[in-house]
């Protein structure tokens, strides 16, 4: 029998792919970020996969994608956030998280560029990380494209 797409992402290999896509959203290559964020946006439309993405998400990276200068990246980030916030108790779970899975060790909070990606959960900057819902909403409100505003309406209903 063949596995459904949702089932594939519940295997070790599938979870590894999700982790890689999340990790590559920190790339300095625009095309890589666009492709990986797009894949996560599409996959997160399926609830069971969205649940896995929620577990593997680097929340600092998602926040940085929402602040990105590119409208294409903001659109993808808003779609990911919208889909993940639809999950049961997602806002409560997100507010209880203290650290992202990977850390961006840089001093510029408005751009993912120039960051060094680390797995170090003991890093002081990661232990103080809280997802900035208000900042993300402001960043998405500043978008000039309609799909971001449509996603934002749904995001606001989940908060």
């Amino acid at each position: 029998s063949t596995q459904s797409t949702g089932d594939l992402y519940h295997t070790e290999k599938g979870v590894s792919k999700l982790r890689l896509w999340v990790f590559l959203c920190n790339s300095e290559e625009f095309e890589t970020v666009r492709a990986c964020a797009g894949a996560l946006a599409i996959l997160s439309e399926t609830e069971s996969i969205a649940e896995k993405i929620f577990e593997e998400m680097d929340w600092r990276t998602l926040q940085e994608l929402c602040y990105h200068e590119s409208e294409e990246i903001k659109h993808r980030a808003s779609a990911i956030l919208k889909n993940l916030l639809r999950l049961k108790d997602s806002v409560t779970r997100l507010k209880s998280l203290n650290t992202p899975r990977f850390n961006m060790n840089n001093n510029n909070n408005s751009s993912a560029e120039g960051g060094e990606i680390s797995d170090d959960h003991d890093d002081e900057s990661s232990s103080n990380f809280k997802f900035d819902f208000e900042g993300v909403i402001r960043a998405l409100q500043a978008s000039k494209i309609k799909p971001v505003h449509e996603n934002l309406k749904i995001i606001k209903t989940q908060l």
Side-chain angles (χ1 to χ4, degrees):
S1 87
T2 60
Q3 286 184 310
S4 73
T5 303
D7 291 340
L8 291 174
Y9 292 97
H10 287 75
T11 65
E12 187 176 325
K13 185 176 180 179
V15 170
S16 292
K17 286 180 183 181
L18 294 176
R19 287 179 184 154
L20 179 61
W21 289 332
V22 168
F23 181 81
L24 288 174
C25 283
N26 289 297
S27 174
E28 292 182 17
E29 297 292 327
F30 174 80
E31 294 81 7
T32 301
V33 175
R34 182 175 57 191
C36 291
L40 292 169
I42 291 166
L43 288 169
S44 66
E45 291 176 359
T46 302
E47 187 175 347
S48 65
I49 301 173
E51 202 48 70
K52 284 295 183 190
I53 293 171
F54 189 97
E55 293 169 13
E56 301 302 327
M57 180 51 65
D58 172 354
W59 293 96
R60 187 181 307 239
T61 294
L62 183 56
Q63 181 173 292
E64 296 295 330
L65 294 176
C66 290
Y67 296 151
H68 202 280
E69 64 187 21
S70 165
E71 294 290 339
E72 290 179 81
I73 302 299
K74 279 185 183 177
H75 178 212
R76 287 158 175 77
S78 69
I80 296 167
L81 185 58
K82 171 194 74 174
N83 293 335
L84 297 184
L85 291 181
R86 287 180 170 170
L87 297 171
K88 185 176 193 260
D89 300 324
S90 59
V91 174
T92 303
R93 290 188 299 170
L94 180 53
K95 286 181 178 179
S96 71
L97 293 176
N98 287 323
T99 60
R101 184 160 301 279
F102 301 104
N103 305 311
M104 290 294 295
N105 297 321
N106 66 5
N107 295 325
N108 182 351
N109 290 330
S110 64
S111 169
E113 290 183 320
E116 180 182 349
I117 300 167
S118 163
D119 243 354
D120 186 2
H121 291 276
D122 295 328
D123 182 84
E124 186 176 323
S125 65
S126 69
S127 64
N128 295 328
F129 177 80
K130 292 282 188 193
F131 194 81
D132 181 9
F133 286 104
E134 293 81 16
V136 165
I137 288 171
R138 282 192 306 275
L140 296 177
Q141 284 173 331
S143 175
K144 296 174 178 69
I145 63 172
K146 187 176 180 178
V148 172
H149 292 277
E150 291 170 355
N151 287 338
L152 184 57
K153 285 179 191 173
I154 296 168
I155 290 167
K156 286 179 173 181
T157 66
Q158 302 299 321
L159 297 179

